């Protein structure tokens, strides 16, 4: 079956599921989607909501009133997994009170065989568990379960073609996600993602452009291109274009909007890409470039394929080329075998680069990854102390960095209400958040703001 036929087949299942659900519940049923983890999951959940809408459900935020409850899970760190188990547990009472409710678990954590086995055994009230590459089959799963079929466990991970043209129900109205590729081939030794999301698969250029055009026509002003490693877009396909070319093509689309993207891998971040960010007016001045560790010894053990020198060269070039660049990064503290000397290399890199903001994590062993079996002699307490030291250093840097915005004029997309009455808030083309006088009528609009001061928040006046 081709992907168009698969989409049509799921559409037919959705219609049949809608009829069944209406009959069973005697009212329009409600569905609650609970999302854990990264933006990729948030984007996947928008597709789940699209399918659920096709199946006749309305979407609710309140689990207690839902007839269908789905947890879209994250496996990247242990803490995320613990939270999911706790949340699944709360559905037991709901299901007891109303056995017709359907409970589902999907996403990265669900993809792990050991998790699916545990749910099968210890959480009998969970009706379905399915993995990251079969979520397009949700209408079929609902139909089968509603028609009395047995519990569903589908962890198929065959790296087949991407199923396109699924329904989407986006969360936002002017900021939106646009996935351009799925999976990851990098196998960083600490990371579970390649095992739970499978091989890197790029979406077809025409499908991406069509979705971008749809979003622009619908009024989206801030579009974030998503992928585990966006700058290897196009690899392994015969489309003949790379990520920089893709950016240029989206930049050339008509309309007043902004393009963001995440995440980039330093090994695939080229000067061509940096030049493209510089040259494309709609591409925001933001580069999220995780370096993970400042120690070459640890980078090798992490299988990252770049060293500190190459990373610094790249960010220095980016800073030179892109005025007002916001640089952000991910860091892991306490990788197995990391010493305080290695950690100090991370700290010194942070001080040298002066990032706008950082996402910092204490290493969390993930079963099945190479790092999980590496010797890890440093205690959690010690790692915690390093972590605090890093946060403190970054706080000082961020405080200094934020002062640099004073006196500058930016194009800001108004995206929320401000912290004080009569004020609105928005982002510049990077990651700076600026507040200014205005009302809700400005939401989703670009305004030009001159930054005047900083007092916990950046304050500016609309020009
Ligand atoms: N432990 C801690 N942090 C991790 N990350 C990925 N895997 C782990 C892990 N096992 C972090 C990396 C990555 C971010 C999304 O999560 O920094 O860039
Ligand atoms: Fe994980 Fe590395 Fe792939 Fe990122 S690039 S998803 S850290 S394996």
């Amino acid at each position: 079956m081709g992907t168009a036929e698969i989409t049509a087949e799921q559409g037919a299942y959705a219609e049949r599921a809608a009829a069944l659900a209406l009959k069973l519940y005697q009212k329009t049923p409600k569905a609650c989607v609970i999302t854990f983890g990264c933006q990729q999951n948030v984007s996947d959940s928008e597709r789940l909501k699209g399918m659920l809408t096709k199946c006749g459900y309305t979407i609710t935020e309140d689990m207690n009133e839902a007839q269908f409850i789905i947890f879209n899970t994250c496996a990247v760190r242990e803490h995320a997994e613990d939270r999911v188990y706790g949340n699944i547990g709360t559905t037991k009472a709901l299901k007891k009170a109303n056995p017709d409710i359907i409970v589902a678990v999907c996403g990265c954590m669900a993809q792990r065989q050991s998790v699916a086995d545990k749910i099968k055994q210890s959480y009998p009230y969970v009706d379905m568990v399915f993995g990251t590459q079969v979520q397009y089959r949700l209408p079929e799963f609902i139909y089968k379960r509603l028609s009395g079929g047995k519990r569903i466990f589908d962890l198929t991970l065959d790296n087949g073609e991407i199923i396109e043209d699924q329904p989407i129900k986006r969360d936002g109205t002017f900021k939106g996600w646009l996935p351009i590729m799925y999976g990851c081939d990098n196998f960083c030794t600490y990371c579970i993602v390649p095992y739970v999301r499978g091989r890197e698969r790029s979406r077809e250029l025409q499908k991406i452009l069509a979705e971008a055009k749809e979003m622009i026509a619908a009024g989206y002003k801030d579009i974030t291109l998503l992928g585990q490693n966006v700058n290897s877009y196009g690899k392994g396909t015969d489309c003949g274009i790379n990520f920089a070319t893709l950016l240029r093509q989206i930049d050339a689309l008509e309309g007043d909007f902004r393009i963001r993207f995440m995440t980039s891998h330093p090994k695939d971040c080229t000067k061509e890409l940096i030049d493209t960010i510089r040259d494309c007016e709609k591409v925001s001045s933001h580069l999220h470039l995780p370096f993970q560790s400042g120690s070459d010894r640890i980078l090798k053990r992490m299988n990252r394929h770049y060293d500190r020198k190459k990373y610094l060269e790249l960010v220095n070039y980016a800073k030179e080329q892109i005025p007002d660049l916001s640089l952000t990064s991910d860091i892991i503290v306490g990788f197995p075998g990391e010493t305080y000397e290695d950690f100090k290399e991370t700290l010194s890199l942070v001080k040298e680069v002066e990032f706008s903001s950082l996402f910092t994590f204490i290493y969390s062993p993930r079963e099945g990854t190479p790092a999980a079996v590496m010797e890890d002699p440093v205690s959690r307490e010690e790692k915690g102390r390093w972590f605090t030291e890093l946060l403190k250093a970054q706080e000082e840097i961020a405080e200094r960095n934020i002062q640099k915005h004073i006196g500058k004029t930016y194009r800001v997309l108004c995206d929320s209400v401000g912290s004080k009455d009569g004020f609105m808030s928005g982002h510049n083309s990077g990651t700076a958040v600026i507040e200014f006088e205005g009302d809700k009528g400005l939401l989703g609009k670009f305004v030009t703001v001159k930054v005047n001061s900083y007092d916990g928040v950046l304050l500016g006046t609309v020009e």
Side-chain angles (χ1 to χ4, degrees):
M1 226 191 297
T3 69
E5 280 101 333
I6 291 174
T7 306
E9 186 186 48
Q10 291 304 318
Y13 271 122
E15 271 175 36
R16 289 155 77 191
L20 270 185
L22 198 60
K23 200 163 142 210
L24 174 66
Y25 300 116
Q26 292 291 306
K27 60 179 177 189
T28 303
K30 292 183 178 171
C32 180
V33 181
I34 301 124
T35 310
F36 297 86
C38 66
Q39 283 79 2
Q40 186 64 60
N41 268 17
V42 173
S43 164
D44 285 349
S45 284
E46 293 183 334
R47 279 152 164 85
L48 290 170
K49 287 176 200 169
M51 286 184 271
L52 285 163
T53 307
K54 277 260 155 122
C55 292
Y57 292 80
T58 55
I59 306 299
T60 174
E61 301 286 304
D62 182 1
M63 193 160 92
N64 297 303
E65 61 167 21
Q67 282 72 42
F68 183 88
I69 302 168
I70 184 161
F71 298 96
N72 188 7
T73 62
C74 169
V76 104
R77 281 170 294 274
E78 201 177 350
H79 176 66
E81 293 206 352
D82 293 343
R83 279 177 57 216
V84 168
Y85 282 123
N87 273 269
I88 299 174
T90 61
T91 62
K92 186 178 183 180
L94 293 176
K95 185 95 178 189
K96 204 167 172 196
N98 185 354
D100 287 335
I101 290 177
I102 298 180
V103 178
V105 184
C106 70
C108 293
M109 180 180 164
Q111 186 69 60
R112 296 177 54 199
Q113 189 66 51
S114 59
V115 172
D117 290 346
K118 181 168 166 177
I119 294 176
K120 197 180 233 172
Q121 300 249 310
S122 314
Y123 297 80
Y125 47 91
V126 172
D127 297 273
M128 55 180 79
V129 177
F130 55 90
T132 55
Q133 289 189 5
V134 289
Q135 81 155 36
Y136 69 88
R137 289 178 63 192
L138 178 63
E140 177 184 345
F141 297 152
I142 294 181
Y143 171 75
K144 288 188 170 158
R145 191 60 177 157
L146 282 176
S147 47
K150 49 184 198 302
R151 298 169 83 200
I152 290 159
F153 290 86
D154 190 339
L155 304 191
T156 308
L157 198 71
D158 58 9
N159 306 309
E161 266 184 87
I162 296 171
I163 309 300
E164 290 287 357
D165 303 314
Q166 296 170 41
I168 308 171
K169 191 174 183 312
R170 295 187 196 279
D171 294 337
T173 52
F174 52 84
K175 277 186 170 190
W177 313 110
L178 173 44
I180 63 164
M181 45 114 62
Y182 298 96
C184 182
D185 285 351
N186 290 322
F187 291 93
C188 302
T189 53
Y190 51 81
C191 188
I192 194 81
V193 168
Y195 305 91
V196 292
R197 284 201 171 263
R199 298 291 59 74
E200 225 166 75
R201 298 174 302 159
S202 294
R203 283 181 79 187
E204 265 174 45
L205 171 68
Q206 291 313 325
K207 294 288 179 190
I208 298 171
L209 291 177
E211 193 171 331
K213 281 185 200 161
E214 249 173 55
M215 293 175 80
I216 299 159
Y220 285 85
K221 299 278 184 255
D222 188 300
I223 298 174
T224 302
L225 310 181
L226 286 181
Q228 249 70 43
N229 182 11
V230 284
N231 42 20
S232 71
Y233 175 81
K235 252 190 211 164
T237 69
D238 47 18
C239 71
I241 68 161
N242 62 14
F243 182 58
T245 321
L246 174 68
L247 276 182
R248 286 183 194 272
Q249 298 235 11
I250 301 176
D251 183 69
L253 296 177
E254 237 169 83
D256 189 12
F257 62 97
R258 187 183 266 170
I259 309 160
R260 299 181 184 271
F261 58 89
M262 66 193 310
T263 288
S264 305
H265 193 304
K267 82 173 164 56
D268 299 309
C269 181
T270 55
K271 289 197 169 165
E272 182 200 5
L273 174 60
I274 293 168
D275 294 348
T276 304
I277 303 171
R278 178 196 63 201
D279 297 341
C280 291
E281 208 191 321
K282 292 167 189 159
V283 176
S284 64
S285 309
H286 177 202
L287 186 58
H288 180 63
L289 197 62
F291 72 89
Q292 313 293 2
S293 169
S295 152
D296 285 344
R297 195 179 74 83
I298 297 299
L299 285 172
K300 261 215 176 77
R301 288 163 65 92
M302 287 178 163
N303 193 32
R304 291 289 288 177
H305 297 286
Y306 56 85
D307 58 17
R308 180 189 175 94
K309 185 163 165 275
K310 150 115 202 249
Y311 186 84
L312 284 171
E313 262 169 33
L314 265 176
V315 295
N316 287 333
Y317 182 73
K319 279 179 176 175
E320 268 164 43
Q321 297 298 319
I322 308 165
D324 300 323
L325 175 72
S326 286
L327 254 178
T328 56
S329 197
D330 294 348
I331 299 176
I332 296 177
V333 171
F335 183 80
E338 182 174 331
T339 62
Y340 186 62
E341 295 310 308
D342 293 311
F343 168 71
K344 279 210 313 219
E345 296 270 297
T346 296
L347 200 59
S348 83
L349 195 146
V350 164
K351 288 180 178 166
E352 185 168 342
V353 176
E354 303 214 311
F355 293 93
S356 308
S357 58
L358 288 176
F359 300 88
T360 44
F361 311 99
I362 293 187
Y363 169 73
S364 170
R366 306 283 61 215
E367 197 191 325
T369 61
V373 291
M374 292 179 189
E375 256 187 75
D376 190 6
V378 176
S379 71
R380 182 86 189 181
E381 290 69 34
E382 182 68 11
K383 291 181 185 183
R385 279 192 286 275
W386 302 355
F387 189 74
T388 313
E389 197 175 341
L390 178 62
L391 290 190
K392 207 165 147 270
Q394 178 57 23
E395 245 171 56
E396 284 169 21
I397 294 164
E399 194 79 7
R400 256 200 322 277
N401 259 341
I402 209 148
Q403 305 287 344
K404 293 183 189 159
H405 297 297
I406 296 172
K408 295 210 169 141
T409 300
Y410 295 121
R411 195 148 191 262
V412 170
L413 177 63
C414 177
D415 53 22
S416 53
V417 291
S419 55
K420 278 189 285 188
D421 267 1
F423 279 77
M424 297 300 290
S425 174
H427 285 78
N428 74 348
S429 163
T431 56
V433 178
I434 300 150
E435 296 200 6
F436 45 87
E437 266 183 74
D439 57 38
K440 285 189 183 161
L442 288 176
L443 280 173
K445 300 209 165 83
F446 285 110
V447 281
T448 305
V449 180
K450 177 159 191 232
V451 183
N452 301 319
S453 61
Y454 175 71
D455 178 18
V457 287
L458 288 170
L459 275 177
T461 38
V462 179
E463 299 219 310

